[in-house]
Each structure stands twice: as C-alpha cells, then as structure tokens.
Amino acid sequence: MIIRYPFSAVVGHDDLKLALLLNAVSPAIGGVLVRGEKGTAKSTVVRSLAALLPQVAVVAGCRFSCDPAAPDPSCPDGPHESGLSPQTRPARLVELPVGASEDRVAGSLDLERALTEGVKAFEPGLLAAAHRGVLYVDEVNLLHDHLVDLLLDAAAMGVAHVEREGVSVRHAARFLLVGTMNPEEGELRPQLLDRFGLAVEVRASRDPAERAEVVRRRLAFDAGPAGFAAAYAGGERDLAGRIAAARERLPGVALPDAALRGITAVCAAFDVEGMRADLVMARTAVALAAWEGRDEVTSGDVRTAARLALPHRRRRDPFDDPGHGLDEERLEQALSEADGGPKDGGPDDDGPYDDGPDDDGPGGGGASGGDPADAPPGAGGASGGRAPVSATAPYRTRLLAPEAAGRGGPAGRRGRTTGESGRTVGARTPDGRLRRLHLAATLAAAAPHQRGRGRSGSGLVLRREDLREAVREGRESNLVLFCVDASGSMAARARMRAVKGAVLSLLLDAYQRRDKVGLVTFRGEDATVALPPTSSVELASDRLARLATGGRTPLAAGLRRAERVLAAERLRDPRRRPLLVVVTDGRHTSGPDPVGAAARLAGVASVVVDCEHGPVRLGLAGRLAAALGGTPIRLEELAADHLAAVVRDVRKVA
Ligand SMILES: [Zn+2]
C-alpha cells in the first residue's frame, strides 16, 4: 500500500487546493486543469485528494461500481437484484497514462470469450474504474486529441459510450477530472481548454520561509512516510468531514438574484463564449458557500469563482498566454455595475490593456535598460536601418509532415505513427505474433469456409490463417525546424511580407499541432539560430517579427547550422522526429555550393518552400529539394485551400 503525501500537509497552492476541494464537493463543476512548470508538486497535491473523498457504497462484484441505492440501469454487469448487501470501498484515484490506447481508456471487447464462447463480454476501461472517483491525467496536453475528446465527453455526460466491432456498451462514468500540464511543453487546444470547469496556475513560492517549510516537510515525509501521515491524520479527517458536510449542505444553498446578476455581468464583461462559463461560475460559487458552511452565495463567492473559472475561457488568439490571470479591475467594475453601482470610465474606455511597458522590448535582445516602450520597432535588429517588414495575415496551411510513419514519438497531431496507440484504420494478416486482433476482419475471413470446414454447432470454426490484426495509426508531434532565407534576393518588401506570413502561418499550425519549433536564419555572411528548439510558438513568432533582412545568401551556412541544431536536438529529445522546412528562393551568393550541405541532411524529412517569383524562374529551390531528398512546394501553394495536389512524398526517414 502506497502512503501518499497528505493533502493537509501541502504548503501554499491555495487556489489549486480550493479548486480541487470545490470539485470534491460538487463534481458537476467539471474538473480542474492545473498548469505549471515542472517541480511544483502539482501531481502530489492532485494524488492526495482521493484520500479525502467519502467512501463509496458499491454493489458487490459489479465492475462498474454501481451504487446499491441506485444501480445504473445500463450497467454491463447488471441488472442487479435489489436488496444486495452493499460493500464500501475508498474512492479511487485512477491515473490515465499519456500513451494509453482507446481500448484501455474506454474499455474493450473480451475477444477470447467472444471467439470461444460466442459471448460479447466487455472489459471495463479506465473510465469505468474512475466512476465515482478521481480521474487524473498528467501531461494532459500531450494526450492524443481523440482521447481528450473521449474523456471530456464522458466527464460532461457522466456516461461512457463504447462502440466496437458491432458491440455497443454504455455505462455510468461520473468522475472528478483533473489534468495537469506544463505549458512549456505545448498548449492544450482552446476547444479542450474551456471544457475543464476550473483552471489554476501553480508556481513555486517566492517566499524563502515558505520554501523552507516545503523542503522540511518533504524531507520528513521521505524519511518516514507512515509517521508523517499519522501526524497529519487529524487534518485529513477534518478536511474529509468538511467535504462530506458540504456535500450534504450543497442542495440547500441559495443563489440570490444579485449574485446571479454578478455572474452573468462578469461573464459578459470578459466576453466568454456560450453559457458554460456562467454555469460553471454559478456551480463554483454555490460549492464555495457550502464549503464555508453558508446557505447563501455572497459576492465574495462570485469573485473567487470568477478567478477560478474564467482565466482559461477568455477569448484569445493563439499567441496569447492563457496563463495570465484575470484583469482584477475589470472584474470589480463588472461586479459593481451588476450591483447598480457607479459606472465610471468614458464611453470608449473598453481596452483591456493599460499599455504598460513591455517587459521584453522589441529590440531583439538589444533593449537593455532604456525605455522599451519608446524604442522604434526593430531597433537593434535591422542592420540596414530599415524596420523589419511585417508579415501578411496568417492563413491555414496544408499539413507538412514526414511521409514515413514513425514508431511513435511524443503524442501530437503531425507525423503519422504506427504502433500500439491510435485508432484502428484497417486490418492485415499478421507477420509474426498476433498483437491486436481485428475481430470483424477475422470473422469475415473465417465466414466463407464454415461449411467446408464441417461446422455443425453454434461455434465458429476458426483457423490460424483467418486471424487478422488491427492496423493502428496515431499522430506524433515533431520538431519543425525552419531555416529561413533572409537575404537580399528575398528582401523585396512585398515578397518578404509574404514569406513572413507563410512562416507565421506554419508556426500557428505548429502551435495547434503541439510541435516543437526552432528557427535558423541566414543572410550576409553567416547563419544564426534565431530560436533554439522550443515549445513556445510565441517566442518563435516574436523572433520572426524582428527578423532583419538584406545582404547576400549563405545558403550552405544556413543548412549547416540547421544540421547542427538537429544533431544536438537528437541527443536531447531522441524520440521526436524532425521536419526541416527550408524557406528560400534557392539562389546562393555567398559561401560554398549548398548541394554538399544539403546531401548531409538527406536522412531528415524536409520540405523546401520555394519563394522564387517573377517571370523568369531558375528552379533552384527545386534542385535544393532534390539534393535534400525533400519535397518542394511553392509559396503560393502553402495555403490549405489551394487546389494543387496534396503534398506527398516527403522523403522517408531511414
Ligand atoms: Zn453495476
């Protein structure tokens, strides 16, 4: 039996603890998303929650944790007789690993019984295991999108629905969903973000005394977990008792009209989409009143609910950091207006930003000290004294991806993978040991031979050669390394605008697909790493905006620099496959011929975005693509709605 760190021993993290406790009181709030860097003990806090939840009464032997008082009518183990003696067990904490297959999450058909006994038996998955408990997903931002969808659907409906090879099963799946993520490793898509009830940001305390206490307790726990837990047993009992009492109180808590007006005014002021935010805020405020032993929601409850329920729901563009908290002034103003208070501020006082100085001036790292707000755009960047040109508006690009399927890097949305995870996309005769049976295809293969094999009874006559295995396909996230030509031949302003617009669009695409990105640029005599590989697309777009242009074209130097970046990254993050995107017109005017440098990159999947334009074309980018063993694509063909053929044959990776 694992002894977990007690919840009541956690120092600080007040918002996180409150968000978890409120969901424990009222699971209808819809779960918690916890964002924060590594080493902030967010997993420890989440894991310690389950011990505080009331025990659950279950029907003995039911694998779906039916409540004896109200068994699930669709329970696959049912129907249950009434009057069975109930069992009680602790509420569970179920952890969903990032690499989990859909079968593991949603449940699967028991193929052995289906084949040998002709019984359609259902093997419960993690959703069933988590029913009436906590479902915890660490690194939820790295989970495959279709699994996140599945999870959030179940969490919203309280029901899991599984359809597989002609078998359909429904069972209750009500759980407290908690996801943790490190935003540095890629954001959750906004559509998924707002389906979590509450979101909190955690960071390590800046207070030395508090940090010391964290360390002291951790050391004590590691030295003797049992003794440490015993010392906090009283605190744990108190919290558990308070949760149970708040649950009882919850249905009787009143939400006065004034509080409801406050909620809707705040949601309107923050311009959130739909009505989900209003509902979540109302439930949170009610749970908070119950948690504090009150029978009526106060304006303070509404304020706290806003802080927990709104930050991840504000409208934003993809480069906006969802980690920013709420604008407190705006919150207060909305609340006081709902209260019929004074409405101050002029008619055009609607800007959410007060235009304070940026903490990172536009000077390409050169803005040290001075007043960054007054620096001209591009100072310290363009050596020619010209301000960098701005990009055209970003557009949706077609998918650029390695052609060959990978063996499964970090979960994502770009390169194809084959292996254990992902969706079933077909069936094949296994070469070697059968791993994943494809039942429908196996039955179809056996069916025509039944008479010939002398079938008489009800059982299927199955032979080895009938067996078919499922072919699965998933998506991984890649490292997309941009190698961008910023030389004079590219620098006609209109052209450079288009090039920047294209790279910006590809960056947006990388953001949505949770890729890592890096940026190498070359002009004049040399190439520079404008941005080492990172998951922060914001940084990349920022560097791109400041990109200075002009001078000669050291194309070979650019490729060599890209090669070194990729080599270093291969050591640091070996599972992640790279995709090199070279953006150039292919005219080299400085340094050695690029063909040699290109050949050295021939193991890497690559795309050359051909920026050549005008009536006379040299086709140099095409030659470069051939030397790289990559795919050429014209700049104008990059948009997803362009009619040209889909990019294919991005060369396979050895
Ligand atoms: Zn049951």
Side-chain angles (χ1 to χ4, degrees), residues 68 88 108 224 323 328 371 375 398 401 425 479 485 506 547 588 609 620 630:
T88 55
S108 62
E328 295 283 339
D371 184 356
R398 58 178 57 192
V425 292
L479 164 64
D485 182 346
L506 289 167
L547 180 62
H588 71 98
V609 178
L620 295 172

Side-chain angles (χ1 to χ4, degrees), residues 76 408 511 566:
Y511 163 84
L566 292 175

